[in-house]
Amino acid sequence: MSEPATDSSPTKSRWRNPVFVLVFVLGAGVWLTVVGWLTWMYFNPVTDWIGRQHATLQEILGTALGLGWLVVFVWGLAGIATLAERAAGLPPISANQTHGHGAWRKPN
């Protein structure tokens, strides 16, 4: 009999850690609430104003606003993930480690 394959991937073990999951889910919920409210209050009126501009200016301003919103949104989620890692006492994933594997291994 062979032993079951164990997955020692750091990314998967993070999601099995209850402290990480709790902090991340609660933090992401708060972040989504804040971003949603700010979007409703400020993003929509700004896009309304952009919609009344010249077509070329609409494209430029709309793209800049959309990309800026996306960057802030993703940075917030990344910050929450980092906070959750620290709260759970997990080591950070190195920048060159993409899937938690050093090299390809033949499956059993």
Side-chain angles (χ1 to χ4, degrees):
M1 298 230 163
S2 64
E3 294 180 26
T6 58
D7 188 9
S8 61
S9 169
T11 14
K12 292 200 179 194
S13 66
R14 282 165 167 53
W15 293 107
R16 290 185 181 148
N17 186 321
V19 174
F20 175 82
V21 171
L22 181 67
V23 172
F24 183 80
V25 168
L26 291 176
V30 169
W31 179 243
L32 290 173
T33 302
V34 168
V35 168
W37 182 79
L38 289 173
T39 300
W40 180 261
M41 294 299 295
Y42 299 106
F43 194 81
N44 289 334
V46 170
T47 56
D48 241 8
W49 175 80
I50 290 173
R52 293 189 300 266
Q53 305 307 313
H54 185 270
T56 305
L57 195 56
Q58 282 181 13
E59 291 296 324
I60 294 169
L61 293 175
T63 301
L65 182 68
L67 288 176
W69 181 89
L70 184 64
V71 166
V72 169
F73 179 73
V74 170
W75 275 353
L77 287 179
I80 291 167
T82 302
L83 179 70
E85 281 179 349
R86 289 183 181 162
L90 299 171
I93 298 175
S94 66
N96 59 358
Q97 184 177 3
T98 57
H99 296 2
H101 304 288
W104 182 84
R105 288 178 272 155
K106 182 179 177 184
N108 294 334

